[in-house]
Amino acid sequence: MNKKTITDIDVNGKKVLVRVDFNVPLSSKDPNDDITVTDDMRIRAALPTLNHLLDNGAALILCSHLGRPKSPADKQFAMDPVAGRLSELLGRPVTKMDDVVGDSVTAAVANMKAGDIVLLENTRFEEGEKKNNPELSKALADLADAYVNDAFGSAHRAHASTEGAAREIQAKGGQAVAGFLMEKELKALGTAVTNPAHPYVAIMGGAKISDKIKLIDNLLNTADKILIGGGMANTFLKAQGHALGTSLVEEDALAEAKRLLDMAGDRLVLPVDVIVADKFAADAKGDMVPVTKIADSKMALDVGPGTLEKFDEALAGAKLVVWNGPMGVFEFDTFAEGTNALAYMLAKLVEEQGTEVMIGGGDSAAAVRKAGLADKMTHISTGGGASLELLEGKNLPGIAALDD
Ligand code: ADP
Ligand code: MG
């Protein structure tokens, strides 16, 4: 993926439209509350790009989606809290618009000087955003001289702000390039796709099984071993003929899981023991059982110590590890042990053997941060779905649209 970046273009005196990923968690869903940003990681991740553009004489028009608003009436998804936090982090004023495009935005942008920053309203307040509507794309592109995409987390979607605007800028002779965050993601995850170091061990878990099963198929072409835990493992264990009680199992994916098991043989490593409970709750009591002894009334909510030992052995000597999806319901302390223990194992591999460890997936990244090990990993992707699609070998529209 040879894409131009912000270091390849001259932005001095130019207005630059930057698609950022400011889809951050908020403190409340009630529009009447004083809503704040509860985790500003994604805003901080964009700062190198924004500061580079500002230092080089650009005026910035920033846009992002935030949450899943149904209409502009869903004021709890307005960008105001993001503008506030961004302004604090940059130490500069940020003018927040109440619209994405339209007369008020055009007027504000017309008066912009180098160093000025405008943040447009939530792009999903416009119906045309998800439809990649050409008029909306053109209206966005008409605001600026150049386009920068730094929103890796949205690059797998062909939306007006991620794909259409890039094409429209190019149509009027402007440049469309990647920001530093996008570049970093492409470099890190790109090598895992095109030129992985071996032994390459992939670890899959979490709950979005049908989304991820395609990824396992693809990983079998590149990875030497795939370790499977979390909710994902339940479906594979059931496909092997085990009773899973009330555990999360994706029945629709059983046939596919069976096909993968037949194809992969011992390259797929499954749990040998799990932590089960009566209910899905923070106060549920956990019991360790072998996967052959899960009672009808129980659900598997974490991997057990025998499984972790097996995973540790499978990871020995690995040069590259890609991890997507927690090993258990890490949100509940009782069932966070498997995920935390795995995070420690990986941190140790990085430190002691120089193993490259990449984490993809929103919840996996959150789990690693919660365990305080984020700094120990080689790369933590900011994009969940986007990192998965990239690892699947798919072409991401938001990246494909950028200048080669
Ligand atoms: P990521 O965001 O890293 O891609 P997913 O969204 O696929 O991961 O899955 C994360 C979720 O999976 C977490 O909320 C976690 O509680 C859940 N999970 C993990 N293991 C289990 C399990 N055994 N049963 C039910 N849910 C699980
Ligand atoms: Mg998730």
Side-chain angles (χ1 to χ4, degrees):
M1 269 160 283
N2 241 333
K3 291 293 174 182
K4 281 202 177 145
T5 75
I6 46 175
T7 53
D8 296 319
I9 63 170
D10 177 15
V11 295
N12 193 21
K14 290 189 180 158
K15 290 171 189 165
V16 182
L17 176 67
V18 189
R19 180 37 161 111
V20 282
D21 180 3
F22 287 168
N23 183 27
V24 290
L26 300 171
S27 59
S28 168
K29 291 187 166 71
D30 181 347
N32 299 313
D33 282 350
D34 183 14
I35 300 178
T36 54
V37 173
T38 54
D39 181 351
D40 62 5
M41 184 195 77
R42 286 184 165 164
I43 304 178
R44 281 186 284 112
L47 295 180
T49 292
L50 304 186
N51 281 321
H52 173 89
L53 293 168
L54 291 167
D55 291 347
N56 285 279
L60 301 184
I61 304 152
L62 310 180
C63 66
S64 174
H65 78 280
L66 176 60
R68 296 168 188 263
K70 290 194 185 68
S71 80
D74 285 345
K75 288 284 173 231
Q76 68 271 30
F77 295 114
M79 297 298 280
D80 300 72
V82 175
R85 186 70 193 116
L86 175 65
S87 177
E88 284 169 16
L89 288 167
L90 283 171
R92 291 170 181 256
V94 171
T95 307
K96 191 255 161 187
M97 296 284 113
D98 290 331
D99 292 300
V100 182
V101 290
D103 292 344
S104 64
V105 175
T106 308
V109 167
N111 294 320
M112 287 180 86
K113 298 180 300 293
D116 287 351
I117 305 163
V118 157
L119 175 63
L120 304 181
E121 187 49 283
N122 189 340
T123 53
R124 288 198 186 163
F125 280 7
E126 284 288 329
E127 227 188 299
E129 164 71 338
K130 286 170 124 185
K131 296 180 176 151
N132 201 2
N133 172 284
E135 281 92 69
L136 176 60
S137 302
K138 185 163 184 313
L140 285 168
D142 280 347
L143 298 172
D145 306 304
Y147 173 88
V148 171
N149 193 340
D150 214 18
F152 176 72
S154 300
H156 58 313
R157 300 191 174 110
H159 290 175
S161 69
T162 62
E163 204 265 356
R167 303 277 185 205
E168 293 291 345
I169 283 271
Q170 289 160 338
K172 64 174 196 174
Q175 290 175 297
V177 302
F180 288 137
L181 181 58
M182 181 72 92
E183 183 187 23
K184 195 168 121 198
E185 295 274 9
L186 292 180
K187 267 200 187 132
L189 299 173
T191 39
V193 181
T194 54
N195 193 20
H198 293 276
Y200 169 14
V201 180
I203 309 170
M204 300 291 296
K208 284 190 231 155
I209 297 144
S210 48
D211 287 4
K212 294 184 182 180
I213 224 150
K214 292 185 295 278
L215 178 58
I216 296 193
D217 206 351
N218 190 276
L219 283 171
L220 282 170
N221 296 321
T222 43
D224 300 293
K225 274 179 215 157
I226 305 177
L227 318 183
I228 302 183
M232 166 82 79
N234 297 341
T235 300
F236 281 88
L237 291 168
K238 180 139 189 192
Q240 274 188 331
H242 295 295
L244 267 294
T246 58
S247 306
L248 170 78
V249 170
E250 197 137 338
E251 300 287 338
D252 290 347
L254 282 175
E256 179 68 357
K258 189 146 189 356
R259 187 183 69 81
L260 292 170
L261 283 164
D262 290 342
M263 188 164 83
D266 59 5
R267 289 168 62 213
L268 280 186
V269 183
L270 293 178
V272 290
D273 54 2
V274 286
I275 310 298
V276 296
D278 291 325
K279 54 179 183 179
F280 187 93
D283 64 350
K285 191 178 156 300
D287 285 312
M288 196 229 315
V289 297
V291 294
T292 49
K293 296 245 158 54
I294 301 172
D296 288 350
S297 63
K298 300 277 188 181
M299 56 176 75
L301 295 180
D302 197 6
V303 295
T307 303
L308 289 166
E309 211 169 290
K310 206 172 151 196
F311 285 2
D312 199 26
E313 280 163 25
L315 283 163
K319 289 266 182 341
L320 171 66
V321 177
V322 172
W323 178 18
N324 183 293
M327 294 294 100
V329 184
F330 73 97
E331 295 93 336
F332 303 153
D333 287 344
T334 312
F335 309 103
E337 194 54 43
T339 302
N340 288 340
L342 180 65
Y344 274 100
M345 270 179 220
L346 298 181
K348 216 169 140 220
L349 282 175
V350 175
E351 200 163 272
E352 293 178 1
Q353 299 181 27
T355 307
E356 284 187 61
V357 175
M358 321 266 179
I359 317 281
D363 290 291
S364 317
V368 171
R369 280 204 299 280
K370 203 173 159 193
L373 295 169
D375 296 344
K376 305 275 184 196
M377 306 300 172
T378 314
H379 180 73
I380 299 195
S381 178
T382 52
S387 63
L388 282 177
E389 292 199 14
L390 195 74
L391 290 169
E392 265 173 49
K394 282 194 191 158
N395 217 350
L396 309 194
I399 296 165
L402 302 177
D403 296 354
D404 290 312

Coordinates of all heavy atoms in Angstrom, one line a residue, residues 45-121:
A45 N -4.6 10.5 19.5 CA -4.0 9.8 18.4 C -3.9 10.6 17.2 O -3.0 10.4 16.3 CB -4.7 8.4 18.2
A46 N -4.8 11.6 17.0 CA -4.8 12.4 15.8 C -3.9 13.6 16.0 O -3.6 14.3 15.0 CB -6.2 12.9 15.6
L47 N -3.4 13.9 17.2 CA -2.6 15.1 17.4 C -1.3 15.3 16.5 O -1.1 16.4 16.0 CB -2.2 15.3 18.9 CG -3.4 15.5 19.8 CD1 -3.0 15.6 21.2 CD2 -4.3 16.7 19.4
P48 N -0.5 14.2 16.3 CA 0.7 14.4 15.5 C 0.3 14.9 14.1 O 1.0 15.8 13.6 CB 1.2 12.9 15.4 CG 0.8 12.3 16.7 CD -0.6 12.9 16.9
T49 N -0.7 14.4 13.5 CA -1.1 14.8 12.2 C -1.6 16.3 12.2 O -1.2 17.1 11.4 CB -2.3 13.9 11.6 OG1 -1.8 12.6 11.4 CG2 -2.9 14.5 10.4
L50 N -2.4 16.6 13.2 CA -3.0 18.0 13.3 C -1.9 19.0 13.5 O -1.8 20.0 12.9 CB -4.1 18.0 14.4 CG -5.2 17.1 14.2 CD1 -6.3 17.3 15.3 CD2 -5.8 17.1 12.8
N51 N -0.9 18.6 14.4 CA 0.2 19.5 14.7 C 1.1 19.7 13.6 O 1.6 20.8 13.3 CB 0.9 19.1 16.0 CG 0.2 19.4 17.3 OD1 -0.4 20.5 17.4 ND2 0.2 18.5 18.2
H52 N 1.3 18.6 12.8 CA 2.2 18.7 11.6 C 1.6 19.7 10.6 O 2.3 20.6 10.1 CB 2.4 17.4 11.0 CG 3.1 17.4 9.7 ND1 4.5 17.3 9.6 CD2 2.6 17.5 8.4 CE1 4.8 17.4 8.3 NE2 3.7 17.6 7.6
L53 N 0.3 19.6 10.4 CA -0.4 20.4 9.4 C -0.4 21.9 9.9 O -0.1 22.8 9.1 CB -1.8 19.9 9.2 CG -1.9 18.6 8.5 CD1 -3.4 18.0 8.6 CD2 -1.5 18.6 7.0
L54 N -0.6 22.1 11.2 CA -0.7 23.4 11.7 C 0.7 24.1 11.6 O 0.9 25.2 11.2 CB -1.2 23.4 13.2 CG -2.6 23.1 13.4 CD1 -2.9 22.8 14.8 CD2 -3.5 24.2 12.8
D55 N 1.8 23.3 12.0 CA 3.1 23.8 12.0 C 3.6 24.2 10.6 O 4.5 25.0 10.4 CB 4.1 22.7 12.5 CG 3.9 22.5 14.0 OD1 3.3 23.3 14.6 OD2 4.5 21.5 14.5
N56 N 2.9 23.5 9.6 CA 3.3 23.8 8.2 C 2.3 24.8 7.5 O 2.3 24.9 6.3 CB 3.4 22.5 7.4 CG 4.7 21.8 7.8 OD1 5.7 22.1 7.3 ND2 4.6 20.8 8.7
G57 N 1.6 25.6 8.3 CA 0.9 26.7 7.7 C -0.5 26.4 7.2 O -1.1 27.2 6.4
A58 N -1.1 25.3 7.6 CA -2.5 25.0 7.1 C -3.5 25.6 8.1 O -3.3 25.8 9.2 CB -2.7 23.5 7.1
A59 N -4.7 25.7 7.5 CA -5.9 25.9 8.3 C -6.7 24.6 8.2 O -6.8 24.0 7.2 CB -6.8 27.1 7.7
L60 N -7.2 24.2 9.4 CA -7.8 22.8 9.4 C -9.3 22.8 9.5 O -9.9 23.5 10.4 CB -7.2 22.1 10.7 CG -5.7 21.9 10.7 CD1 -5.4 21.1 11.9 CD2 -5.2 21.3 9.5
I61 N -9.9 22.0 8.7 CA -11.4 21.8 8.8 C -11.5 20.3 9.1 O -11.1 19.4 8.3 CB -12.1 22.1 7.4 CG1 -11.8 23.5 7.0 CG2 -13.6 21.8 7.5 CD1 -11.8 23.7 5.5
L62 N -11.9 20.0 10.3 CA -11.9 18.6 10.8 C -13.3 18.1 10.8 O -14.3 18.8 11.0 CB -11.4 18.6 12.3 CG -10.1 19.3 12.6 CD1 -9.8 19.1 14.0 CD2 -9.0 18.8 11.7
C63 N -13.4 16.8 10.4 CA -14.7 16.1 10.5 C -14.6 14.7 10.9 O -13.6 14.0 10.7 CB -15.4 16.2 9.1 SG -14.6 15.3 7.8
S64 N -15.7 14.2 11.6 CA -15.7 12.8 12.1 C -17.1 12.5 12.3 O -18.0 13.3 12.5 CB -14.9 12.8 13.4 OG -15.1 11.5 14.0
H65 N -17.4 11.2 12.4 CA -18.7 10.7 12.9 C -18.5 10.5 14.4 O -17.4 10.4 14.9 CB -19.2 9.5 12.2 CG -18.6 8.2 12.7 ND1 -17.3 7.8 12.2 CD2 -19.0 7.3 13.5 CE1 -17.1 6.6 12.8 NE2 -18.0 6.3 13.6
L66 N -19.6 10.4 15.1 CA -19.6 10.2 16.6 C -20.9 9.4 16.9 O -22.0 9.9 16.8 CB -19.6 11.5 17.3 CG -19.7 11.4 18.9 CD1 -18.5 10.6 19.5 CD2 -19.7 12.8 19.5
G67 N -20.7 8.1 17.3 CA -21.8 7.3 17.7 C -22.7 6.9 16.5 O -22.3 7.0 15.3
R68 N -23.9 6.6 16.8 CA -24.9 6.2 15.8 C -26.2 7.0 15.9 O -27.2 6.4 16.2 CB -25.2 4.7 15.9 CG -24.0 3.7 15.7 CD -24.4 2.3 16.2 NE -23.2 1.5 16.1 CZ -22.8 0.7 15.1 NH1 -23.6 0.6 14.1 NH2 -21.7 0.0 15.2
P69 N -26.1 8.3 15.6 CA -27.3 9.1 15.6 C -28.3 8.7 14.5 O -27.9 8.3 13.5 CB -26.8 10.5 15.4 CG -25.5 10.3 14.6 CD -24.9 9.0 15.1
K70 N -29.6 8.8 14.9 CA -30.6 8.5 13.8 C -30.9 9.7 13.0 O -31.3 9.6 11.9 CB -31.8 7.9 14.5 CG -31.6 6.5 15.1 CD -32.9 5.8 15.4 CE -32.5 4.5 16.1 NZ -31.9 4.7 17.4
S71 N -30.8 10.9 13.7 CA -31.0 12.1 13.0 C -30.3 13.2 13.8 O -29.9 13.0 14.9 CB -32.5 12.4 12.9 OG -33.0 13.0 14.2
P72 N -30.2 14.5 13.2 CA -29.6 15.6 13.9 C -30.3 15.9 15.2 O -29.8 16.6 16.0 CB -29.7 16.7 12.9 CG -29.9 16.1 11.6 CD -30.7 14.8 11.8
A73 N -31.5 15.4 15.4 CA -32.3 15.6 16.6 C -31.6 14.9 17.8 O -31.8 15.2 18.9 CB -33.7 15.2 16.5
D74 N -30.8 13.9 17.5 CA -30.1 13.2 18.5 C -28.9 14.0 19.1 O -27.7 13.6 18.8 CB -29.6 11.8 18.0 CG -30.7 10.8 17.8 OD1 -31.8 11.0 18.4 OD2 -30.5 9.8 17.2
K75 N -29.2 15.0 19.8 CA -28.2 16.0 20.2 C -27.1 15.4 21.1 O -26.1 16.0 21.3 CB -28.9 17.2 20.9 CG -29.7 18.1 19.9 CD -28.7 19.0 19.1 CE -29.5 19.8 18.1 NZ -28.9 19.6 16.7
Q76 N -27.4 14.3 21.7 CA -26.4 13.7 22.5 C -25.1 13.3 21.7 O -24.1 13.0 22.3 CB -26.9 12.5 23.3 CG -27.3 11.3 22.5 CD -28.7 11.3 22.0 OE1 -29.3 12.4 21.7 NE2 -29.3 10.2 21.8
F77 N -25.3 13.3 20.4 CA -24.1 12.9 19.6 C -23.5 14.1 18.9 O -22.7 14.0 17.9 CB -24.5 11.9 18.5 CG -25.0 10.6 19.1 CD1 -26.3 10.1 19.0 CD2 -24.1 9.7 19.7 CE1 -26.7 8.9 19.5 CE2 -24.5 8.5 20.3 CZ -25.8 8.1 20.1
A78 N -23.8 15.3 19.4 CA -23.2 16.5 18.8 C -21.7 16.6 19.2 O -21.3 16.0 20.2 CB -23.9 17.8 19.4
M79 N -20.9 17.3 18.4 CA -19.5 17.2 18.6 C -19.0 18.2 19.7 O -17.7 18.3 19.8 CB -18.8 17.6 17.3 CG -19.1 16.6 16.1 SD -18.5 14.9 16.5 CE -16.7 15.1 16.1
D80 N -19.8 18.9 20.3 CA -19.4 19.9 21.3 C -18.4 19.4 22.3 O -17.3 20.0 22.6 CB -20.6 20.6 22.0 CG -21.5 21.2 21.0 OD1 -22.2 20.5 20.3 OD2 -21.4 22.5 20.9
P81 N -18.6 18.2 23.0 CA -17.6 17.8 24.0 C -16.3 17.5 23.4 O -15.2 17.7 24.0 CB -18.3 16.5 24.6 CG -19.6 16.4 24.0 CD -19.8 17.4 22.9
V82 N -16.3 17.0 22.1 CA -15.1 16.7 21.4 C -14.3 17.9 21.1 O -13.1 18.0 21.3 CB -15.4 15.9 20.1 CG1 -14.1 15.7 19.3 CG2 -16.1 14.6 20.4
A83 N -15.0 19.0 20.7 CA -14.4 20.3 20.4 C -13.7 20.8 21.6 O -12.5 21.3 21.6 CB -15.4 21.3 19.9
G84 N -14.3 20.7 22.8 CA -13.8 21.1 24.0 C -12.5 20.4 24.4 O -11.5 21.0 24.7
R85 N -12.5 19.1 24.3 CA -11.4 18.3 24.7 C -10.2 18.5 23.7 O -9.1 18.6 24.1 CB -11.7 16.8 24.7 CG -10.6 15.9 25.2 CD -10.4 16.1 26.7 NE -9.2 15.5 27.2 CZ -8.1 16.1 27.7 NH1 -8.2 17.4 27.8 NH2 -7.0 15.5 28.0
L86 N -10.5 18.6 22.4 CA -9.5 18.8 21.4 C -8.8 20.2 21.6 O -7.6 20.3 21.5 CB -10.2 18.8 20.0 CG -9.2 19.2 18.8 CD1 -8.2 18.1 18.7 CD2 -10.0 19.3 17.5
S87 N -9.6 21.2 21.9 CA -9.0 22.5 22.2 C -8.1 22.5 23.3 O -7.0 23.0 23.3 CB -10.2 23.5 22.4 OG -9.6 24.8 22.7
E88 N -8.4 21.7 24.4 CA -7.5 21.6 25.5 C -6.2 20.9 25.1 O -5.1 21.3 25.5 CB -8.2 20.7 26.6 CG -9.3 21.5 27.4 CD -10.1 20.5 28.3 OE1 -9.6 19.3 28.5 OE2 -11.2 20.9 28.7
L89 N -6.4 19.8 24.4 CA -5.2 19.0 24.0 C -4.3 19.8 23.0 O -3.0 19.7 23.1 CB -5.6 17.7 23.4 CG -6.2 16.7 24.3 CD1 -6.9 15.6 23.6 CD2 -5.1 16.1 25.3
L90 N -4.8 20.6 22.1 CA -4.0 21.4 21.2 C -3.5 22.7 21.8 O -2.6 23.3 21.3 CB -4.8 21.7 19.9 CG -5.0 20.6 18.9 CD1 -6.0 21.0 17.8 CD2 -3.7 20.1 18.2
G91 N -4.2 23.1 22.8 CA -3.9 24.4 23.4 C -4.2 25.6 22.4 O -3.5 26.6 22.3
R92 N -5.2 25.4 21.6 CA -5.7 26.4 20.6 C -7.2 26.4 20.6 O -7.8 25.4 20.9 CB -5.2 26.0 19.2 CG -3.7 26.1 18.9 CD -3.5 25.4 17.6 NE -2.1 25.4 17.2 CZ -1.6 26.2 16.3 NH1 -2.3 27.1 15.7 NH2 -0.3 26.0 16.0
P93 N -7.7 27.5 20.1 CA -9.2 27.6 20.0 C -9.7 26.6 18.9 O -9.0 26.5 17.8 CB -9.5 29.0 19.7 CG -8.2 29.7 19.4 CD -7.1 28.8 19.8
V94 N -10.8 26.0 19.1 CA -11.4 25.2 18.0 C -12.8 25.7 17.8 O -13.6 25.7 18.8 CB -11.5 23.7 18.5 CG1 -12.3 22.9 17.5 CG2 -10.0 23.1 18.6
T95 N -13.2 26.1 16.6 CA -14.5 26.6 16.3 C -15.4 25.5 15.9 O -15.2 24.8 14.9 CB -14.5 27.7 15.2 OG1 -13.5 28.7 15.5 CG2 -15.9 28.3 15.0
K96 N -16.4 25.2 16.7 CA -17.3 24.1 16.5 C -18.5 24.5 15.7 O -19.2 25.5 16.1 CB -17.7 23.4 17.8 CG -18.4 22.1 17.6 CD -19.9 22.2 17.8 CE -20.7 21.1 17.2 NZ -22.1 21.3 17.3
M97 N -18.8 23.9 14.5 CA -19.9 24.2 13.7 C -21.1 23.5 14.1 O -21.0 22.3 14.6 CB -19.6 23.9 12.2 CG -18.5 24.6 11.6 SD -19.0 26.3 11.2 CE -18.1 27.2 12.3
D98 N -22.3 24.0 13.9 CA -23.6 23.3 14.2 C -24.1 22.5 13.0 O -25.1 21.9 13.1 CB -24.6 24.2 14.8 CG -24.2 24.7 16.2 OD1 -23.5 24.0 16.9 OD2 -24.6 25.9 16.6
D99 N -23.4 22.6 11.9 CA -23.8 21.9 10.7 C -22.5 21.2 10.1 O -21.4 21.6 10.5 CB -24.3 22.8 9.6 CG -25.7 23.4 10.1 OD1 -26.6 22.6 10.3 OD2 -25.8 24.6 10.2
V100 N -22.8 20.2 9.3 CA -21.7 19.5 8.6 C -21.3 20.3 7.3 O -20.1 20.6 7.1 CB -22.1 18.1 8.2 CG1 -20.9 17.4 7.5 CG2 -22.6 17.3 9.4
V101 N -22.3 20.8 6.6 CA -22.1 21.6 5.4 C -23.2 22.6 5.4 O -24.1 22.6 6.2 CB -22.1 20.8 4.1 CG1 -20.9 19.9 4.0 CG2 -23.4 20.0 4.0
G102 N -23.1 23.6 4.4 CA -24.2 24.6 4.3 C -23.6 26.0 4.5 O -22.4 26.2 4.7
D103 N -24.5 27.0 4.5 CA -24.1 28.4 4.5 C -23.3 28.8 5.7 O -22.3 29.5 5.5 CB -25.4 29.3 4.4 CG -26.1 29.1 3.1 OD1 -25.5 28.6 2.1 OD2 -27.3 29.5 3.0
S104 N -23.7 28.3 6.9 CA -22.9 28.8 8.0 C -21.5 28.2 8.0 O -20.5 28.9 8.4 CB -23.6 28.3 9.3 OG -23.6 26.9 9.4
V105 N -21.3 27.0 7.5 CA -20.0 26.4 7.4 C -19.2 27.1 6.3 O -18.0 27.5 6.6 CB -20.1 24.9 7.1 CG1 -18.7 24.3 6.9 CG2 -20.8 24.2 8.3
T106 N -19.8 27.3 5.2 CA -19.1 28.0 4.1 C -18.6 29.3 4.5 O -17.5 29.7 4.2 CB -20.0 28.1 2.9 OG1 -20.6 26.8 2.6 CG2 -19.3 28.6 1.6
A107 N -19.5 30.1 5.2 CA -19.1 31.4 5.7 C -17.9 31.4 6.6 O -17.0 32.2 6.6 CB -20.3 32.1 6.3
A108 N -18.0 30.4 7.6 CA -16.9 30.4 8.6 C -15.6 30.0 8.0 O -14.5 30.5 8.3 CB -17.3 29.3 9.7
V109 N -15.7 29.1 7.0 CA -14.4 28.6 6.4 C -13.8 29.6 5.5 O -12.6 29.7 5.3 CB -14.8 27.3 5.6 CG1 -13.6 26.9 4.6 CG2 -15.0 26.1 6.6
A110 N -14.7 30.5 4.9 CA -14.2 31.5 4.0 C -13.2 32.5 4.7 O -12.3 33.0 4.1 CB -15.4 32.3 3.4
N111 N -13.4 32.7 6.0 CA -12.6 33.6 6.7 C -11.4 33.0 7.4 O -10.7 33.6 8.2 CB -13.5 34.3 7.8 CG -14.5 35.2 7.1 OD1 -14.3 35.9 6.1 ND2 -15.7 35.2 7.7
M112 N -11.2 31.7 7.2 CA -10.1 31.0 7.9 C -8.7 31.4 7.5 O -8.5 31.6 6.3 CB -10.2 29.5 7.7 CG -11.4 28.9 8.5 SD -11.4 27.1 8.2 CE -10.3 26.5 9.5
K113 N -7.8 31.5 8.5 CA -6.4 31.8 8.2 C -5.6 30.7 8.7 O -6.1 29.8 9.5 CB -6.0 33.1 9.0 CG -6.7 34.4 8.6 CD -6.3 35.6 9.3 CE -6.5 35.5 10.9 NZ -7.9 35.4 11.3
A114 N -4.3 30.7 8.3 CA -3.4 29.6 8.7 C -3.5 29.5 10.3 O -3.5 30.5 11.0 CB -2.0 29.9 8.3
G115 N -3.5 28.3 10.8 CA -3.6 28.0 12.2 C -5.0 28.0 12.8 O -5.2 27.5 13.9
D116 N -6.0 28.4 12.0 CA -7.4 28.3 12.5 C -7.9 26.9 12.4 O -7.4 26.1 11.5 CB -8.3 29.2 11.6 CG -8.1 30.7 11.9 OD1 -7.4 31.0 12.8 OD2 -8.7 31.5 11.1
I117 N -8.8 26.5 13.3 CA -9.3 25.1 13.3 C -10.8 25.2 13.4 O -11.4 25.8 14.4 CB -8.8 24.4 14.5 CG1 -7.2 24.4 14.5 CG2 -9.3 22.9 14.5 CD1 -6.6 24.0 15.9
V118 N -11.5 24.5 12.5 CA -12.9 24.4 12.5 C -13.3 22.9 12.7 O -12.7 22.1 12.0 CB -13.5 25.0 11.2 CG1 -14.9 24.4 11.0 CG2 -13.6 26.5 11.3
L119 N -14.2 22.6 13.6 CA -14.6 21.2 13.7 C -16.1 21.2 13.2 O -17.0 21.8 13.8 CB -14.5 20.7 15.1 CG -15.1 19.3 15.4 CD1 -14.4 18.2 14.7 CD2 -15.1 19.0 16.9
L120 N -16.3 20.4 12.2 CA -17.7 20.3 11.6 C -18.5 19.4 12.6 O -18.0 18.7 13.4 CB -17.7 19.6 10.2 CG -16.8 20.3 9.2 CD1 -16.9 19.6 7.8 CD2 -17.2 21.8 9.0
E121 N -19.9 19.6 12.4 CA -20.8 18.7 13.2 C -20.7 17.3 12.8 O -20.1 17.0 11.7 CB -22.2 19.3 13.1 CG -23.3 18.7 14.0 CD -22.9 18.6 15.4 OE1 -22.0 17.7 15.8 OE2 -23.4 19.4 16.2

